[in-house]
Amino acid sequence: MAGKELRGNPKIGVERYTFFAVESDTAEGIIYKEPYHLRGTVEISPTDNGGSDVFDADNGPYDVINYIEKRGHELTNADIPPEVDAMWRGLEMKDGVLSVGYEGNTVYFGVAWKVKLKMPGKTGFRYIRYKKGTYSFASNVGGKTAPSEGAPERQTAKATYTAVKPDYDGICYEYIDETDLPEGVTAAELEEKWFTDMNWYPGKTTEPTV
């Protein structure tokens, strides 16, 4: 029936996963390198864990401290190509070959993506970005023999992005819905700037990312 929503339709879809290598992070600001769009994003799952610690005094609960740890996300992608693997590990490819040893280099990245919303009172896209963090992942060189008949199983690669506190402003992540843009800022501007300039802020002129 036309206009009828089918059960099982996804409520949130993710796209335009883009990361930026951090060139420098100081009290004056964060400088990022050119953006890299990673194609083939399947799923992004937050790794944030929250909890509370209760401090007892006067023979009972006296104070409660709320906290969030393991800020970041797990990325499931159709593939993580060698050039991306090299960037995330802080390595260099030579003659098309990526050589991975037992020790890697710590390299920091900012990352941005958007999700399509479909829920009561909300439509359009939500834009998310993490200011600084690192990637870790297992080897993506495994494989499985294709079955003799039927459709072959899809193989995917996974990585974990762990956010860290930037030296500049201490902000972990930011997000905005395109329906909540301030006056004078268009959805087209948001779409362009979010994936090209990690320092862009709605309604504010920023210095170039690079």
Side-chain angles (χ1 to χ4, degrees):
M1 181 183 297
K4 182 178 180 180
E5 183 176 341
L6 301 177
R7 289 187 178 183
N9 282 0
K11 299 299 183 185
I12 298 179
V14 60
E15 56 185 278
R16 294 205 70 179
Y17 192 88
T18 306
F19 61 88
F20 306 70
V22 174
E23 184 171 296
S24 66
D25 174 21
T26 66
E28 286 71 40
I30 304 178
I31 298 177
Y32 299 91
K33 296 183 180 180
E34 292 287 341
Y36 186 103
H37 172 54
L38 179 63
R39 299 182 58 190
T41 303
V42 176
E43 183 179 3
I44 294 177
S45 302
T47 58
D48 301 24
N49 287 323
S52 299
D53 285 335
V54 178
F55 174 67
D56 293 320
D58 292 335
N59 201 29
Y62 183 82
D63 191 18
V64 177
I65 299 175
N66 298 316
Y67 62 88
I68 298 177
E69 60 183 2
K70 296 181 180 179
R71 284 192 169 112
H73 58 271
E74 285 190 351
L75 168 69
T76 302
N77 217 65
D79 183 34
I80 298 176
E83 62 268 22
V84 174
D85 192 339
M87 285 187 279
W88 287 356
R89 296 181 192 270
L91 302 175
E92 292 186 6
M93 296 181 63
K94 183 177 180 181
D95 299 326
V97 177
L98 175 59
S99 300
V100 181
Y102 286 92
E103 295 183 1
N105 301 312
T106 300
V107 186
Y108 294 104
F109 298 88
V111 62
W113 69 90
K114 68 177 184 177
V115 295
K116 186 172 181 60
L117 302 179
K118 193 176 183 182
M119 60 183 68
K122 281 286 186 179
T123 58
F125 287 94
R126 173 170 295 165
Y127 292 74
I128 304 100
R129 65 184 177 195
Y130 279 73
K131 306 284 281 186
K132 183 180 179 181
T134 62
Y135 286 97
S136 61
F137 49 97
S139 170
N140 61 354
V141 297
K144 182 179 180 181
T145 300
S148 299
E149 60 184 29
E153 294 181 12
R154 293 287 184 181
Q155 298 186 52
T156 57
K158 292 189 176 183
T160 299
Y161 178 91
T162 302
V164 299
K165 184 178 180 181
D167 294 333
Y168 170 52
D169 55 12
I171 294 176
C172 177
Y173 67 90
E174 300 173 323
Y175 66 92
I176 185 172
D177 291 349
E178 65 175 335
T179 54
D180 299 330
L181 291 174
E183 185 177 354
V185 179
T186 65
E189 181 183 4
L190 171 64
E191 177 74 18
E192 176 192 358
K193 295 293 188 179
W194 201 260
F195 301 105
T196 57
D197 186 357
M198 282 286 291
N199 289 311
W200 178 81
Y201 196 84
K204 179 181 179 182
T205 303
T206 64
E207 295 296 328
T209 295
V210 293

